[in-house]
Short mmCIF file of all heavy atoms in Angstrom, two decimals:
data_model
loop_
_atom_site.label_atom_id
_atom_site.label_comp_id
_atom_site.label_asym_id
_atom_site.label_seq_id
_atom_site.Cartn_x
_atom_site.Cartn_y
_atom_site.Cartn_z
N GLN A 1 3.78 -0.18 -18.05
CA GLN A 1 3.86 0.88 -17.05
C GLN A 1 2.49 1.48 -16.75
O GLN A 1 2.24 1.94 -15.65
CB GLN A 1 4.83 1.97 -17.51
CG GLN A 1 6.27 1.50 -17.54
CD GLN A 1 6.77 1.10 -16.17
OE1 GLN A 1 6.39 1.69 -15.17
NE2 GLN A 1 7.60 0.09 -16.11
N LEU A 2 1.62 1.48 -17.73
CA LEU A 2 0.27 2.00 -17.52
C LEU A 2 -0.45 1.20 -16.45
O LEU A 2 -1.06 1.75 -15.54
CB LEU A 2 -0.52 1.95 -18.83
CG LEU A 2 -2.00 2.30 -18.73
CD1 LEU A 2 -2.16 3.77 -18.41
CD2 LEU A 2 -2.71 1.95 -20.00
N PHE A 3 -0.35 -0.12 -16.51
CA PHE A 3 -1.00 -0.97 -15.51
C PHE A 3 -0.36 -0.78 -14.14
O PHE A 3 -1.04 -0.73 -13.12
CB PHE A 3 -0.93 -2.44 -15.92
CG PHE A 3 -1.77 -2.75 -17.11
CD1 PHE A 3 -1.20 -3.18 -18.29
CD2 PHE A 3 -3.15 -2.62 -17.06
CE1 PHE A 3 -1.97 -3.47 -19.38
CE2 PHE A 3 -3.93 -2.89 -18.16
CZ PHE A 3 -3.34 -3.33 -19.32
N PHE A 4 0.96 -0.68 -14.11
CA PHE A 4 1.64 -0.51 -12.83
C PHE A 4 1.28 0.83 -12.20
O PHE A 4 1.03 0.91 -11.00
CB PHE A 4 3.15 -0.62 -13.04
CG PHE A 4 3.92 -0.59 -11.76
CD1 PHE A 4 3.84 -1.65 -10.87
CD2 PHE A 4 4.72 0.47 -11.44
CE1 PHE A 4 4.54 -1.64 -9.69
CE2 PHE A 4 5.44 0.50 -10.25
CZ PHE A 4 5.34 -0.57 -9.38
N GLY A 5 1.21 1.88 -12.99
CA GLY A 5 0.81 3.18 -12.48
C GLY A 5 -0.61 3.19 -11.97
O GLY A 5 -0.93 3.81 -10.95
N ALA A 6 -1.49 2.48 -12.67
CA ALA A 6 -2.88 2.40 -12.23
C ALA A 6 -2.99 1.65 -10.91
O ALA A 6 -3.82 1.97 -10.07
CB ALA A 6 -3.72 1.70 -13.30
N ASN A 7 -2.13 0.66 -10.70
CA ASN A 7 -2.13 -0.05 -9.41
C ASN A 7 -1.65 0.83 -8.28
O ASN A 7 -2.20 0.82 -7.18
CB ASN A 7 -1.23 -1.28 -9.48
CG ASN A 7 -1.85 -2.43 -10.23
OD1 ASN A 7 -3.03 -2.44 -10.49
ND2 ASN A 7 -1.04 -3.39 -10.60
N GLN A 8 -0.60 1.58 -8.53
CA GLN A 8 0.04 2.35 -7.46
C GLN A 8 -0.72 3.60 -7.05
O GLN A 8 -0.62 4.02 -5.91
CB GLN A 8 1.46 2.74 -7.89
CG GLN A 8 2.39 1.57 -8.04
CD GLN A 8 2.63 0.86 -6.73
OE1 GLN A 8 2.59 1.45 -5.67
NE2 GLN A 8 2.85 -0.44 -6.80
N CYS A 9 -1.46 4.20 -7.96
CA CYS A 9 -2.05 5.51 -7.67
C CYS A 9 -3.08 5.46 -6.55
O CYS A 9 -3.23 6.42 -5.81
CB CYS A 9 -2.64 6.12 -8.92
SG CYS A 9 -4.10 5.27 -9.53
N GLY A 10 -3.80 4.38 -6.39
CA GLY A 10 -4.82 4.32 -5.35
C GLY A 10 -4.34 3.77 -4.04
O GLY A 10 -4.94 4.02 -2.99
N MET A 11 -3.25 3.02 -4.05
CA MET A 11 -2.82 2.37 -2.82
C MET A 11 -2.24 3.34 -1.79
O MET A 11 -2.28 3.08 -0.61
CB MET A 11 -1.80 1.28 -3.13
CG MET A 11 -2.44 0.14 -3.88
SD MET A 11 -1.46 -1.33 -4.19
CE MET A 11 0.20 -0.92 -3.94
N GLY A 12 -1.73 4.45 -2.25
CA GLY A 12 -1.14 5.40 -1.33
C GLY A 12 -2.15 6.10 -0.43
O GLY A 12 -1.85 6.47 0.69
N CYS A 13 -3.35 6.29 -0.93
CA CYS A 13 -4.33 7.04 -0.15
C CYS A 13 -5.47 6.21 0.40
O CYS A 13 -6.24 6.70 1.22
CB CYS A 13 -4.91 8.18 -1.01
SG CYS A 13 -5.79 7.60 -2.45
N VAL A 14 -5.60 4.96 0.01
CA VAL A 14 -6.75 4.18 0.44
C VAL A 14 -6.74 3.92 1.95
O VAL A 14 -7.79 3.85 2.59
CB VAL A 14 -6.87 2.86 -0.36
CG1 VAL A 14 -5.85 1.84 0.07
CG2 VAL A 14 -8.27 2.30 -0.23
N PHE A 15 -5.57 3.80 2.55
CA PHE A 15 -5.52 3.56 4.00
C PHE A 15 -6.04 4.77 4.77
O PHE A 15 -6.70 4.62 5.79
CB PHE A 15 -4.09 3.23 4.45
CG PHE A 15 -3.53 2.03 3.76
CD1 PHE A 15 -2.40 2.13 2.98
CD2 PHE A 15 -4.16 0.81 3.85
CE1 PHE A 15 -1.89 1.03 2.34
CE2 PHE A 15 -3.66 -0.30 3.21
CZ PHE A 15 -2.52 -0.18 2.45
N THR A 16 -5.74 5.95 4.28
CA THR A 16 -6.25 7.16 4.93
C THR A 16 -7.76 7.27 4.74
O THR A 16 -8.47 7.75 5.61
CB THR A 16 -5.56 8.40 4.35
OG1 THR A 16 -4.15 8.21 4.49
CG2 THR A 16 -5.95 9.64 5.09
N ASP A 17 -8.27 6.81 3.61
CA ASP A 17 -9.71 6.82 3.37
C ASP A 17 -10.44 5.84 4.27
O ASP A 17 -11.50 6.15 4.81
CB ASP A 17 -10.03 6.48 1.91
CG ASP A 17 -9.65 7.58 0.96
OD1 ASP A 17 -9.44 8.71 1.41
OD2 ASP A 17 -9.54 7.30 -0.25
N ILE A 18 -9.90 4.66 4.43
CA ILE A 18 -10.58 3.60 5.18
C ILE A 18 -10.46 3.82 6.68
O ILE A 18 -11.44 3.74 7.41
CB ILE A 18 -10.00 2.22 4.81
CG1 ILE A 18 -10.33 1.90 3.36
CG2 ILE A 18 -10.54 1.14 5.71
CD1 ILE A 18 -9.65 0.67 2.85
N ALA A 19 -9.25 4.06 7.16
CA ALA A 19 -9.02 4.16 8.60
C ALA A 19 -7.95 5.21 8.88
O ALA A 19 -6.77 4.88 9.02
CB ALA A 19 -8.58 2.81 9.15
N PRO A 20 -8.34 6.47 8.96
CA PRO A 20 -7.35 7.52 9.17
C PRO A 20 -6.53 7.35 10.44
O PRO A 20 -5.36 7.69 10.48
CB PRO A 20 -8.18 8.80 9.23
CG PRO A 20 -9.49 8.47 8.62
CD PRO A 20 -9.69 7.00 8.79
N VAL A 21 -7.14 6.82 11.48
CA VAL A 21 -6.44 6.67 12.76
C VAL A 21 -5.32 5.63 12.65
O VAL A 21 -4.25 5.81 13.22
CB VAL A 21 -7.44 6.28 13.88
CG1 VAL A 21 -6.73 6.00 15.18
CG2 VAL A 21 -8.46 7.39 14.05
N TYR A 22 -5.57 4.55 11.92
CA TYR A 22 -4.61 3.46 11.84
C TYR A 22 -3.93 3.36 10.48
O TYR A 22 -3.37 2.32 10.14
CB TYR A 22 -5.31 2.14 12.16
CG TYR A 22 -5.89 2.11 13.55
CD1 TYR A 22 -7.26 2.20 13.75
CD2 TYR A 22 -5.07 2.03 14.66
CE1 TYR A 22 -7.79 2.20 15.03
CE2 TYR A 22 -5.59 2.02 15.94
CZ TYR A 22 -6.95 2.10 16.12
OH TYR A 22 -7.47 2.11 17.38
N SER A 23 -3.97 4.42 9.70
CA SER A 23 -3.41 4.35 8.35
C SER A 23 -1.90 4.10 8.36
O SER A 23 -1.39 3.41 7.47
CB SER A 23 -3.72 5.63 7.57
OG SER A 23 -3.11 6.74 8.16
N THR A 24 -1.20 4.60 9.35
CA THR A 24 0.24 4.36 9.40
C THR A 24 0.56 2.90 9.66
O THR A 24 1.48 2.34 9.06
CB THR A 24 0.90 5.23 10.47
OG1 THR A 24 0.25 5.01 11.73
CG2 THR A 24 0.81 6.70 10.13
N VAL A 25 -0.21 2.26 10.51
CA VAL A 25 0.01 0.83 10.79
C VAL A 25 -0.31 0.00 9.55
O VAL A 25 0.45 -0.90 9.17
CB VAL A 25 -0.84 0.38 11.99
CG1 VAL A 25 -0.74 -1.11 12.20
CG2 VAL A 25 -0.45 1.13 13.24
N LEU A 26 -1.44 0.29 8.91
CA LEU A 26 -1.82 -0.45 7.70
C LEU A 26 -0.78 -0.26 6.60
O LEU A 26 -0.40 -1.21 5.91
CB LEU A 26 -3.19 0.01 7.21
CG LEU A 26 -4.38 -0.34 8.11
CD1 LEU A 26 -5.63 0.37 7.62
CD2 LEU A 26 -4.59 -1.84 8.13
N ASN A 27 -0.30 0.95 6.43
CA ASN A 27 0.70 1.23 5.42
C ASN A 27 1.99 0.48 5.71
O ASN A 27 2.64 -0.03 4.80
CB ASN A 27 0.94 2.73 5.33
CG ASN A 27 1.56 3.13 4.03
OD1 ASN A 27 1.70 2.34 3.12
ND2 ASN A 27 1.92 4.40 3.93
N THR A 28 2.37 0.40 6.98
CA THR A 28 3.58 -0.32 7.36
C THR A 28 3.48 -1.80 7.04
O THR A 28 4.41 -2.41 6.51
CB THR A 28 3.87 -0.12 8.85
OG1 THR A 28 4.00 1.28 9.11
CG2 THR A 28 5.12 -0.84 9.28
N VAL A 29 2.34 -2.40 7.35
CA VAL A 29 2.14 -3.83 7.08
C VAL A 29 2.21 -4.11 5.58
O VAL A 29 2.88 -5.05 5.13
CB VAL A 29 0.81 -4.32 7.69
CG1 VAL A 29 0.48 -5.71 7.22
CG2 VAL A 29 0.86 -4.25 9.20
N VAL A 30 1.53 -3.28 4.80
CA VAL A 30 1.52 -3.50 3.34
C VAL A 30 2.89 -3.24 2.74
O VAL A 30 3.33 -3.96 1.84
CB VAL A 30 0.42 -2.63 2.69
CG1 VAL A 30 0.52 -2.66 1.19
CG2 VAL A 30 -0.94 -3.11 3.14
N ASN A 31 3.61 -2.25 3.23
CA ASN A 31 4.97 -2.00 2.73
C ASN A 31 5.91 -3.14 3.09
O ASN A 31 6.83 -3.44 2.33
CB ASN A 31 5.51 -0.68 3.27
CG ASN A 31 5.00 0.50 2.49
OD1 ASN A 31 4.67 0.38 1.31
ND2 ASN A 31 4.91 1.65 3.12
N THR A 32 5.69 -3.78 4.23
CA THR A 32 6.49 -4.94 4.60
C THR A 32 6.25 -6.09 3.61
O THR A 32 7.19 -6.76 3.18
CB THR A 32 6.17 -5.40 6.03
OG1 THR A 32 6.44 -4.32 6.92
CG2 THR A 32 6.98 -6.61 6.42
N MET A 33 4.99 -6.30 3.25
CA MET A 33 4.68 -7.33 2.25
C MET A 33 5.33 -6.99 0.91
O MET A 33 5.83 -7.88 0.21
CB MET A 33 3.18 -7.47 2.08
CG MET A 33 2.51 -8.17 3.23
SD MET A 33 0.78 -8.47 2.87
CE MET A 33 0.01 -7.47 4.11
N GLY A 34 5.33 -5.72 0.57
CA GLY A 34 5.97 -5.30 -0.67
C GLY A 34 7.47 -5.51 -0.64
O GLY A 34 8.08 -5.90 -1.65
N ALA A 35 8.08 -5.29 0.52
CA ALA A 35 9.52 -5.53 0.65
C ALA A 35 9.84 -7.02 0.52
O ALA A 35 10.84 -7.40 -0.09
CB ALA A 35 10.01 -5.00 2.00
N LEU A 36 8.98 -7.86 1.08
CA LEU A 36 9.17 -9.31 0.93
C LEU A 36 9.06 -9.73 -0.53
O LEU A 36 9.81 -10.58 -1.01
CB LEU A 36 8.17 -10.07 1.80
CG LEU A 36 8.36 -9.91 3.31
CD1 LEU A 36 7.23 -10.61 4.06
CD2 LEU A 36 9.70 -10.44 3.74
N ALA A 37 8.12 -9.12 -1.25
CA ALA A 37 8.00 -9.40 -2.68
C ALA A 37 9.25 -8.92 -3.42
O ALA A 37 9.70 -9.57 -4.37
CB ALA A 37 6.75 -8.73 -3.24
N GLY A 38 9.82 -7.81 -2.97
CA GLY A 38 11.06 -7.31 -3.58
C GLY A 38 12.24 -8.22 -3.33
O GLY A 38 13.19 -8.27 -4.12
N ILE A 39 12.21 -8.96 -2.24
CA ILE A 39 13.26 -9.94 -1.96
C ILE A 39 13.06 -11.19 -2.82
O ILE A 39 14.01 -11.77 -3.34
CB ILE A 39 13.28 -10.30 -0.47
CG1 ILE A 39 13.73 -9.07 0.34
CG2 ILE A 39 14.18 -11.49 -0.19
CD1 ILE A 39 13.53 -9.22 1.83
N MET A 40 11.81 -11.61 -2.96
CA MET A 40 11.51 -12.83 -3.71
C MET A 40 11.64 -12.64 -5.22
O MET A 40 11.95 -13.59 -5.94
CB MET A 40 10.09 -13.32 -3.38
CG MET A 40 9.91 -13.79 -1.96
SD MET A 40 11.00 -15.14 -1.50
CE MET A 40 10.48 -16.40 -2.64
#
């Protein structure tokens, strides 16, 4: 769980850091990939 928490803590805010204007689009694309991984 320590490794999983370390992975998750930065992913939520990195899109806002990199591209605040398009952070919602980037977050949507990455969440879609995560959903596909959840199916697989």
Side-chain angles (χ1 to χ4, degrees):
Q1 292 298 325
L2 172 69
F3 291 116
F4 186 69
N7 284 345
Q8 293 296 330
C9 69
M11 292 187 344
C13 63
V14 75
F15 302 119
T16 306
D17 289 343
I18 293 172
V21 175
Y22 299 107
S23 63
T24 55
V25 174
L26 292 170
N27 200 7
T28 302
V29 170
V30 171
N31 279 333
T32 301
M33 286 187 244
L36 293 175
I39 293 169
M40 293 301 298

